[in-house]
Amino acid sequence: MGMMIDGVYHAEDPGPDTTLNGVFQRQKATIRNWITKDGPHLPETERYHLYVAWNCPWAHRTLLTMIFKGLRGKISISIARPRRNAQGWIYDPIGEFADPLFHVSALHEAYARDATAYTGRITVPLLWDKKLNRAVSNESADIMRMLNDAFDGPDLAPADLLQDIDHWNARIYTEVNNGVYKAGFARTQTAYDAAVTQLFATLDQIDARLDENRYIHGDRLTETDLRLFPTLARFDVAYHYAFKCNIRRLMDYPNLWPYAREIYQMPGVAYTVKPEIYKAGYFSPSELRNPLGIVPAGPMIDWNMPHGR
């Protein structure tokens, strides 16, 4: 993945962001505007466009938010090709992986259309205001919350649960969503051991919590569940193998696995889950993780098994 400096794209891949002791650190998003009722980005349907990729878990959770808020079809989307190249996330001229908004061939060309010269990695999701022709945000957590707060539909972050939601969001991000990457991109045994131990300790705690609760926060599905699900959807087909997160599989958990299947079987969710694309992406050629680029045949996972919850 290249990056943009002062609005100019540079194809050289700087590699994973790791510290001197081999610990992976994710770069923070820098486009952090907000949709509000007093503008300039007003909560109007059909005004916004979302750049996503099927294999990106951060983009996945914004798509889930759109679905549960009833915004599918009201916010247009561009889906990048599953594998990046030297140009980063790329698009076809026509078809599923075309960009219907600007017809760009690479996502950095859309970033370059913003009036503010961007510096940073070229990432999805990117939320775009079609009316002002400006980028709104490339921070997935912000996009989830603003879509929830700005538009009608089920409240995924209700006020009475907000403190607990924010607490679990932070834990799940640090120890699970990003935890799999800290294990997969670790450059030392010590960094890997710390990350994978913390990851499974948290998954064990969540599994125990789900023994007494239908969802993370009781009987109401919230933003926290939608932030956890993309990692679970990729766990057995990608993270378990490619990122060495192999102490247990998702399928080994008595509560997490049925919980994940219940969410998958909710209306519209299966549309967002692409196991074969996950494998193609996570097992793409990588000098550190998969130098030959061989994509495994399995595992076979039945997401449509009755969840019994």
Side-chain angles (χ1 to χ4, degrees), residues 63-135:
L63 284 170
L64 291 171
T65 304
M66 282 178 50
I67 286 169
F68 280 91
K69 292 294 290 186
L71 294 170
R72 185 177 174 187
K74 298 178 182 178
I75 294 177
S76 54
I77 63 173
S78 293
I79 304 169
R81 288 190 57 81
R83 283 190 175 183
R84 294 172 296 192
N85 64 17
Q87 294 298 306
W89 294 111
I90 58 173
Y91 302 91
D92 291 337
I94 59 173
E96 177 185 4
F97 301 119
D99 170 33
L101 182 60
F102 295 127
H103 308 288
V104 298
S105 60
L107 182 58
H108 67 80
E109 297 171 17
Y111 270 80
R113 288 174 175 264
D114 192 76
T116 302
Y118 176 69
T119 294
R121 291 186 183 274
I122 307 302
T123 59
V124 290
L126 173 68
L127 184 65
W128 192 271
D129 185 330
K130 294 186 284 188
K131 187 172 184 178
L132 294 181
N133 200 29
R134 294 292 308 273

Coordinates of all heavy atoms in Angstrom, one line a residue, residues 63-135:
L63 N -20.4 -0.8 6.3 CA -21.5 -1.4 5.5 C -22.5 -2.0 6.4 O -23.7 -1.8 6.1 CB -20.9 -2.5 4.6 CG -20.1 -2.0 3.4 CD1 -19.4 -3.2 2.7 CD2 -21.0 -1.3 2.4
L64 N -22.1 -2.7 7.5 CA -23.1 -3.2 8.4 C -24.0 -2.1 9.0 O -25.2 -2.3 9.2 CB -22.4 -4.0 9.5 CG -21.7 -5.3 9.0 CD1 -20.9 -5.9 10.2 CD2 -22.8 -6.3 8.6
T65 N -23.4 -1.0 9.4 CA -24.1 0.1 9.9 C -25.1 0.6 8.9 O -26.3 0.9 9.3 CB -23.2 1.2 10.4 OG1 -22.2 0.7 11.3 CG2 -24.0 2.4 11.0
M66 N -24.7 0.8 7.7 CA -25.7 1.2 6.6 C -26.9 0.2 6.5 O -28.0 0.7 6.5 CB -24.9 1.2 5.3 CG -24.1 2.4 5.0 SD -23.2 2.3 3.4 CE -24.6 1.9 2.3
I67 N -26.6 -1.1 6.6 CA -27.7 -2.0 6.5 C -28.6 -1.9 7.7 O -29.9 -1.9 7.5 CB -27.1 -3.5 6.3 CG1 -26.5 -3.6 4.9 CG2 -28.1 -4.5 6.6 CD1 -25.6 -4.8 4.8
F68 N -28.1 -1.9 8.9 CA -29.0 -1.9 10.0 C -29.7 -0.6 10.2 O -30.7 -0.5 10.9 CB -28.2 -2.3 11.3 CG -28.0 -3.7 11.4 CD1 -26.8 -4.3 10.9 CD2 -28.9 -4.5 12.1 CE1 -26.6 -5.7 11.0 CE2 -28.7 -5.9 12.2 CZ -27.6 -6.5 11.6
K69 N -29.2 0.5 9.6 CA -29.8 1.8 9.7 C -30.8 2.0 8.5 O -31.4 3.1 8.3 CB -28.8 2.9 9.7 CG -28.0 3.0 11.0 CD -28.8 3.4 12.2 CE -29.3 4.8 12.1 NZ -30.0 5.3 13.3
G70 N -30.9 1.0 7.6 CA -31.8 1.1 6.5 C -31.3 2.1 5.4 O -32.1 2.7 4.7
L71 N -29.9 2.2 5.3 CA -29.4 3.2 4.4 C -28.8 2.6 3.1 O -28.3 3.3 2.2 CB -28.2 4.0 5.1 CG -28.7 4.9 6.2 CD1 -27.5 5.4 7.0 CD2 -29.5 6.0 5.7
R72 N -29.0 1.3 3.0 CA -28.5 0.6 1.7 C -29.4 1.1 0.6 O -30.6 1.1 0.6 CB -28.6 -0.9 1.9 CG -28.1 -1.7 0.7 CD -28.2 -3.2 0.9 NE -27.7 -3.9 -0.3 CZ -27.8 -5.2 -0.5 NH1 -28.3 -5.9 0.5 NH2 -27.4 -5.8 -1.6
G73 N -28.7 1.6 -0.5 CA -29.4 2.2 -1.6 C -29.6 3.7 -1.4 O -29.9 4.4 -2.4
K74 N -29.4 4.3 -0.2 CA -29.5 5.7 0.0 C -28.1 6.3 0.1 O -28.0 7.5 0.0 CB -30.3 5.9 1.3 CG -31.7 5.4 1.2 CD -32.5 5.7 2.5 CE -33.9 5.1 2.4 NZ -34.7 5.3 3.7
I75 N -27.1 5.5 0.4 CA -25.7 5.9 0.3 C -25.1 5.1 -0.7 O -25.1 3.8 -0.6 CB -25.0 5.8 1.7 CG1 -25.6 6.7 2.7 CG2 -23.5 6.0 1.5 CD1 -25.0 6.6 4.1
S76 N -24.6 5.7 -1.8 CA -24.0 4.9 -2.9 C -22.6 4.4 -2.4 O -22.0 5.0 -1.5 CB -23.9 5.8 -4.1 OG -23.2 7.0 -3.9
I77 N -22.1 3.4 -3.1 CA -20.8 2.8 -2.7 C -20.0 2.5 -3.9 O -20.5 2.2 -5.0 CB -21.0 1.5 -1.9 CG1 -21.7 0.4 -2.7 CG2 -21.8 1.8 -0.6 CD1 -21.8 -0.9 -1.9
S78 N -18.7 2.4 -3.7 CA -17.7 1.9 -4.7 C -17.0 0.8 -4.0 O -16.5 1.0 -2.9 CB -16.7 3.0 -5.1 OG -17.4 4.0 -5.9
I79 N -16.9 -0.4 -4.6 CA -16.2 -1.5 -4.1 C -14.9 -1.7 -4.8 O -14.9 -1.9 -6.0 CB -17.0 -2.8 -4.1 CG1 -18.4 -2.5 -3.5 CG2 -16.3 -4.0 -3.5 CD1 -19.4 -3.6 -3.7
A80 N -13.8 -1.7 -4.1 CA -12.5 -1.9 -4.7 C -12.2 -3.3 -5.1 O -12.8 -4.2 -4.5 CB -11.4 -1.4 -3.8
R81 N -11.3 -3.6 -6.0 CA -10.9 -4.9 -6.3 C -10.3 -5.6 -5.1 O -9.7 -4.9 -4.2 CB -9.9 -4.9 -7.5 CG -10.5 -4.6 -8.8 CD -9.5 -4.9 -10.0 NE -9.1 -6.2 -10.0 CZ -9.8 -7.3 -10.5 NH1 -11.0 -7.0 -11.0 NH2 -9.3 -8.5 -10.4
P82 N -10.5 -6.9 -5.0 CA -10.0 -7.6 -3.7 C -8.5 -7.5 -3.4 O -8.1 -7.4 -2.3 CB -10.4 -9.0 -4.0 CG -11.6 -9.0 -4.9 CD -11.3 -7.8 -5.8
R83 N -7.7 -7.4 -4.5 CA -6.3 -7.3 -4.2 C -5.7 -6.0 -4.7 O -6.0 -5.5 -5.8 CB -5.5 -8.4 -5.0 CG -5.6 -9.8 -4.3 CD -4.7 -10.8 -4.9 NE -4.7 -12.1 -4.2 CZ -3.9 -13.1 -4.5 NH1 -3.0 -13.0 -5.5 NH2 -3.9 -14.2 -3.8
R84 N -4.9 -5.4 -3.9 CA -4.3 -4.1 -4.2 C -3.0 -4.3 -5.1 O -2.5 -5.4 -5.1 CB -3.9 -3.3 -2.9 CG -5.1 -2.9 -2.1 CD -4.7 -2.3 -0.8 NE -4.0 -3.3 0.1 CZ -3.7 -3.2 1.3 NH1 -4.1 -2.1 1.9 NH2 -3.1 -4.1 2.0
N85 N -2.6 -3.3 -5.7 CA -1.3 -3.3 -6.4 C -0.5 -2.1 -6.1 O -0.8 -1.5 -5.1 CB -1.5 -3.5 -8.0 CG -2.2 -2.3 -8.6 OD1 -2.3 -1.2 -8.0 ND2 -2.7 -2.5 -9.8
A86 N 0.4 -1.7 -6.9 CA 1.3 -0.6 -6.6 C 0.5 0.7 -6.5 O 0.9 1.7 -5.8 CB 2.4 -0.4 -7.6
Q87 N -0.7 0.8 -7.1 CA -1.6 1.9 -7.0 C -2.5 1.9 -5.8 O -3.3 2.8 -5.6 CB -2.4 2.0 -8.3 CG -1.5 2.3 -9.5 CD -0.8 3.7 -9.4 OE1 -1.4 4.7 -9.2 NE2 0.5 3.6 -9.6
G88 N -2.4 0.9 -5.0 CA -3.2 0.7 -3.8 C -4.6 0.0 -4.2 O -4.6 -0.9 -5.0
W89 N -5.7 0.5 -3.6 CA -7.0 0.0 -3.9 C -7.3 0.5 -5.3 O -7.3 1.7 -5.7 CB -8.0 0.5 -3.0 CG -7.9 0.0 -1.6 CD1 -7.5 0.7 -0.5 CD2 -8.1 -1.3 -1.1 NE1 -7.5 -0.1 0.7 CE2 -7.9 -1.3 0.3 CE3 -8.5 -2.5 -1.7 CZ2 -8.0 -2.5 1.1 CZ3 -8.6 -3.7 -0.9 CH2 -8.4 -3.6 0.4
I90 N -7.7 -0.4 -6.2 CA -8.0 -0.1 -7.6 C -9.4 -0.5 -8.1 O -10.1 -1.3 -7.4 CB -6.9 -0.8 -8.5 CG1 -6.9 -2.3 -8.3 CG2 -5.5 -0.2 -8.2 CD1 -6.0 -3.0 -9.3
Y91 N -9.8 0.0 -9.3 CA -11.1 -0.2 -9.8 C -11.1 -0.6 -11.2 O -10.1 -0.3 -12.0 CB -12.0 1.1 -9.6 CG -12.0 1.5 -8.2 CD1 -11.1 2.4 -7.6 CD2 -13.0 1.0 -7.3 CE1 -11.1 2.7 -6.3 CE2 -13.1 1.4 -6.0 CZ -12.1 2.2 -5.5 OH -12.1 2.6 -4.2
D92 N -12.1 -1.4 -11.7 CA -12.3 -1.7 -13.1 C -13.0 -0.6 -13.8 O -13.7 0.2 -13.1 CB -13.0 -3.0 -13.2 CG -12.2 -4.2 -12.7 OD1 -11.0 -4.1 -12.6 OD2 -12.9 -5.2 -12.3
P93 N -13.0 -0.6 -15.1 CA -13.8 0.4 -15.8 C -15.3 0.2 -15.7 O -16.0 1.2 -15.6 CB -13.3 0.3 -17.3 CG -12.0 -0.4 -17.2 CD -12.0 -1.3 -16.0
I94 N -15.7 -1.0 -15.6 CA -17.1 -1.4 -15.5 C -17.2 -2.6 -14.6 O -16.3 -3.3 -14.3 CB -17.8 -1.7 -16.9 CG1 -17.1 -2.8 -17.6 CG2 -17.8 -0.4 -17.7 CD1 -17.8 -3.3 -18.8
G95 N -18.5 -2.8 -14.1 CA -18.7 -4.0 -13.3 C -18.7 -3.8 -11.8 O -18.8 -2.6 -11.4
E96 N -18.7 -4.9 -11.1 CA -18.8 -4.8 -9.6 C -17.8 -3.9 -9.0 O -18.0 -3.3 -8.0 CB -18.8 -6.2 -9.0 CG -18.8 -6.3 -7.5 CD -18.6 -7.7 -6.9 OE1 -18.3 -8.6 -7.7 OE2 -18.7 -7.8 -5.7
F97 N -16.6 -4.0 -9.6 CA -15.5 -3.3 -9.0 C -15.1 -2.0 -9.7 O -14.0 -1.5 -9.8 CB -14.2 -4.2 -8.9 CG -14.5 -5.4 -8.1 CD1 -14.3 -6.7 -8.7 CD2 -14.8 -5.4 -6.8 CE1 -14.6 -7.8 -8.0 CE2 -15.1 -6.6 -6.1 CZ -14.9 -7.8 -6.7
A98 N -16.2 -1.3 -10.2 CA -16.0 0.0 -10.9 C -16.4 1.1 -9.9 O -17.1 0.8 -8.9 CB -16.9 0.1 -12.1
D99 N -15.9 2.3 -10.1 CA -16.3 3.4 -9.2 C -17.4 4.3 -10.0 O -17.1 5.0 -10.9 CB -15.1 4.3 -9.0 CG -15.4 5.6 -8.3 OD1 -16.4 5.6 -7.5 OD2 -14.7 6.6 -8.6
P100 N -18.6 4.2 -9.5 CA -19.7 4.9 -10.2 C -19.7 6.4 -9.9 O -20.4 7.1 -10.6 CB -21.0 4.2 -9.6 CG -20.6 3.8 -8.3 CD -19.1 3.4 -8.4
L101 N -18.9 6.9 -8.9 CA -18.9 8.3 -8.6 C -18.0 9.1 -9.5 O -18.5 10.0 -10.2 CB -18.5 8.5 -7.1 CG -18.5 9.9 -6.6 CD1 -19.9 10.5 -6.7 CD2 -18.1 10.0 -5.2
F102 N -16.7 8.8 -9.5 CA -15.7 9.6 -10.3 C -15.1 8.8 -11.4 O -14.4 9.3 -12.2 CB -14.6 10.1 -9.4 CG -15.0 11.1 -8.3 CD1 -14.7 10.8 -7.0 CD2 -15.8 12.2 -8.6 CE1 -15.1 11.7 -6.0 CE2 -16.2 13.1 -7.7 CZ -15.8 12.9 -6.3
H103 N -15.4 7.5 -11.4 CA -14.9 6.6 -12.4 C -13.3 6.6 -12.4 O -12.6 6.5 -13.4 CB -15.3 7.0 -13.8 CG -16.8 7.1 -13.9 ND1 -17.7 6.0 -13.9 CD2 -17.6 8.2 -14.0 CE1 -18.9 6.4 -14.0 NE2 -18.9 7.7 -14.1
V104 N -12.8 6.6 -11.1 CA -11.3 6.6 -11.0 C -10.8 5.2 -11.2 O -11.6 4.2 -11.1 CB -10.9 7.1 -9.6 CG1 -11.3 8.6 -9.4 CG2 -11.5 6.3 -8.5
S105 N -9.6 5.0 -11.5 CA -9.0 3.7 -11.6 C -8.3 3.3 -10.3 O -7.9 2.1 -10.1 CB -7.9 3.7 -12.7 OG -6.9 4.6 -12.5
A106 N -8.0 4.2 -9.4 CA -7.4 3.9 -8.1 C -8.0 4.9 -7.1 O -8.3 6.0 -7.4 CB -5.9 4.1 -8.2
L107 N -8.1 4.4 -5.8 CA -8.7 5.2 -4.8 C -7.9 6.5 -4.5 O -8.5 7.5 -4.1 CB -8.8 4.4 -3.5 CG -9.4 5.1 -2.3 CD1 -10.8 5.5 -2.6 CD2 -9.4 4.1 -1.1
H108 N -6.6 6.5 -4.7 CA -5.8 7.7 -4.4 C -6.3 8.9 -5.3 O -6.2 10.1 -5.0 CB -4.3 7.5 -4.5 CG -3.8 7.2 -5.9 ND1 -3.6 8.2 -6.8 CD2 -3.4 6.0 -6.4 CE1 -3.1 7.6 -7.9 NE2 -3.0 6.3 -7.7
E109 N -6.9 8.5 -6.5 CA -7.4 9.6 -7.4 C -8.6 10.3 -6.7 O -8.8 11.5 -7.0 CB -7.7 9.0 -8.7 CG -6.5 8.4 -9.4 CD -6.9 7.6 -10.7 OE1 -8.1 7.8 -11.2 OE2 -6.1 6.8 -11.2
A110 N -9.4 9.5 -6.0 CA -10.5 10.1 -5.3 C -10.0 11.0 -4.1 O -10.5 12.1 -3.9 CB -11.5 9.0 -4.8
Y111 N -9.1 10.5 -3.4 CA -8.5 11.3 -2.3 C -8.0 12.6 -2.8 O -8.1 13.7 -2.2 CB -7.4 10.5 -1.6 CG -7.8 9.6 -0.4 CD1 -8.3 8.4 -0.6 CD2 -7.6 10.1 0.9 CE1 -8.7 7.6 0.4 CE2 -7.9 9.3 1.9 CZ -8.5 8.0 1.7 OH -8.8 7.2 2.8
A112 N -7.4 12.6 -4.0 CA -6.8 13.8 -4.6 C -7.8 14.8 -5.0 O -7.4 16.0 -5.2 CB -5.9 13.4 -5.8
R113 N -9.1 14.5 -5.1 CA -10.1 15.4 -5.5 C -10.5 16.3 -4.3 O -11.2 17.3 -4.6 CB -11.3 14.7 -6.0 CG -11.1 14.0 -7.4 CD -12.2 13.2 -7.8 NE -12.1 12.7 -9.2 CZ -12.6 13.3 -10.3 NH1 -13.3 14.4 -10.2 NH2 -12.4 12.8 -11.5
D114 N -10.1 16.0 -3.1 CA -10.5 16.8 -2.0 C -9.7 18.1 -2.0 O -8.5 18.1 -2.4 CB -10.2 16.1 -0.7 CG -10.9 16.8 0.5 OD1 -12.1 16.7 0.7 OD2 -10.1 17.5 1.3
A115 N -10.3 19.2 -1.6 CA -9.6 20.5 -1.7 C -8.4 20.6 -0.7 O -7.5 21.4 -1.0 CB -10.6 21.6 -1.3
T116 N -8.4 19.8 0.3 CA -7.3 19.8 1.3 C -6.3 18.7 0.9 O -6.7 17.5 0.7 CB -7.8 19.5 2.7 OG1 -8.8 20.5 3.1 CG2 -6.6 19.5 3.7
A117 N -5.1 19.1 0.6 CA -4.1 18.2 0.2 C -3.8 17.1 1.3 O -3.4 17.5 2.4 CB -2.8 18.9 -0.1
Y118 N -4.1 15.9 1.0 CA -4.0 14.8 2.0 C -2.6 14.2 2.1 O -1.9 14.0 1.2 CB -5.0 13.7 1.6 CG -5.0 12.5 2.5 CD1 -5.5 12.5 3.8 CD2 -4.5 11.3 2.0 CE1 -5.5 11.4 4.6 CE2 -4.5 10.1 2.8 CZ -5.0 10.2 4.1 OH -5.0 9.1 4.9
T119 N -2.3 13.9 3.4 CA -1.1 13.2 3.7 C -1.4 12.0 4.5 O -2.1 12.1 5.6 CB 0.0 14.0 4.4 OG1 0.4 15.1 3.6 CG2 1.2 13.2 4.8
G120 N -1.1 10.8 4.1 CA -1.4 9.6 4.8 C -1.6 8.4 3.9 O -1.5 8.5 2.7
R121 N -1.8 7.2 4.5 CA -2.1 6.0 3.7 C -3.5 6.2 3.0 O -4.4 6.9 3.5 CB -2.1 4.8 4.6 CG -0.7 4.4 5.1 CD -0.8 3.1 5.9 NE 0.5 2.8 6.5 CZ 1.4 2.1 5.9 NH1 1.3 1.7 4.6 NH2 2.5 1.8 6.5
I122 N -3.6 5.5 1.9 CA -4.9 5.5 1.1 C -5.7 4.3 1.6 O -5.5 3.2 1.1 CB -4.6 5.4 -0.4 CG1 -3.6 6.5 -0.8 CG2 -5.9 5.6 -1.2 CD1 -4.0 7.9 -0.5
T123 N -6.6 4.6 2.5 CA -7.4 3.5 3.1 C -8.9 3.6 2.8 O -9.4 4.7 2.5 CB -7.2 3.6 4.7 OG1 -7.7 4.9 5.1 CG2 -5.7 3.5 5.0
V124 N -9.6 2.5 3.0 CA -11.0 2.4 3.0 C -11.4 2.1 4.5 O -10.6 1.5 5.2 CB -11.6 1.3 2.1 CG1 -11.4 1.8 0.7 CG2 -10.9 0.0 2.3
P125 N -12.5 2.5 4.9 CA -13.6 3.3 4.2 C -13.2 4.8 4.0 O -12.5 5.3 4.8 CB -14.8 3.1 5.1 CG -14.3 3.1 6.5 CD -13.0 2.3 6.3
L126 N -13.8 5.3 3.0 CA -13.8 6.8 2.8 C -15.2 7.3 2.5 O -15.8 6.8 1.6 CB -12.9 7.2 1.7 CG -12.8 8.6 1.3 CD1 -12.2 9.5 2.4 CD2 -12.1 8.9 -0.1
L127 N -15.7 8.2 3.4 CA -17.0 8.7 3.2 C -16.9 10.1 2.5 O -16.2 10.9 3.0 CB -17.8 8.9 4.5 CG -19.2 9.3 4.5 CD1 -20.1 8.3 3.8 CD2 -19.7 9.6 5.9
W128 N -17.7 10.2 1.4 CA -17.5 11.4 0.5 C -18.9 12.1 0.5 O -19.9 11.5 0.3 CB -17.1 11.0 -0.9 CG -16.7 12.1 -1.7 CD1 -17.5 12.9 -2.5 CD2 -15.4 12.6 -1.9 NE1 -16.7 13.8 -3.2 CE2 -15.4 13.7 -2.8 CE3 -14.1 12.3 -1.3 CZ2 -14.3 14.5 -3.1 CZ3 -13.0 13.0 -1.7 CH2 -13.1 14.1 -2.6
D129 N -18.8 13.5 0.6 CA -20.0 14.3 0.4 C -20.1 14.7 -1.0 O -19.3 15.5 -1.5 CB -19.9 15.5 1.3 CG -21.1 16.4 1.4 OD1 -21.8 16.5 0.3 OD2 -21.3 17.1 2.4
K130 N -21.1 14.2 -1.7 CA -21.2 14.4 -3.2 C -21.7 15.9 -3.4 O -21.4 16.4 -4.5 CB -22.2 13.5 -3.8 CG -21.7 12.0 -3.8 CD -22.7 11.1 -4.5 CE -23.9 10.8 -3.7 NZ -24.7 9.7 -4.4
K131 N -22.4 16.5 -2.5 CA -22.9 17.8 -2.7 C -21.8 18.9 -2.6 O -21.7 19.8 -3.4 CB -24.0 18.1 -1.7 CG -24.7 19.5 -1.9 CD -25.9 19.6 -1.0 CE -26.7 20.9 -1.3 NZ -27.9 21.0 -0.4
L132 N -20.9 18.7 -1.6 CA -19.8 19.6 -1.4 C -18.6 19.2 -2.1 O -17.6 20.0 -2.2 CB -19.5 19.8 0.1 CG -20.6 20.5 1.0 CD1 -20.2 20.6 2.4 CD2 -21.0 21.8 0.4
N133 N -18.6 18.0 -2.6 CA -17.4 17.4 -3.3 C -16.2 17.4 -2.3 O -15.1 17.9 -2.7 CB -17.1 18.1 -4.6 CG -16.2 17.3 -5.5 OD1 -16.2 16.0 -5.5 ND2 -15.4 17.9 -6.3
R134 N -16.4 16.9 -1.1 CA -15.4 16.9 -0.1 C -15.4 15.5 0.6 O -16.4 14.9 0.8 CB -15.6 18.0 0.9 CG -15.5 19.4 0.4 CD -14.0 19.7 0.1 NE -13.1 19.4 1.1 CZ -12.8 20.3 2.1 NH1 -13.4 21.5 2.2 NH2 -11.9 20.0 3.0
A135 N -14.2 15.1 1.1 CA -14.1 14.0 2.0 C -14.7 14.3 3.3 O -14.4 15.4 3.9 CB -12.7 13.5 2.1

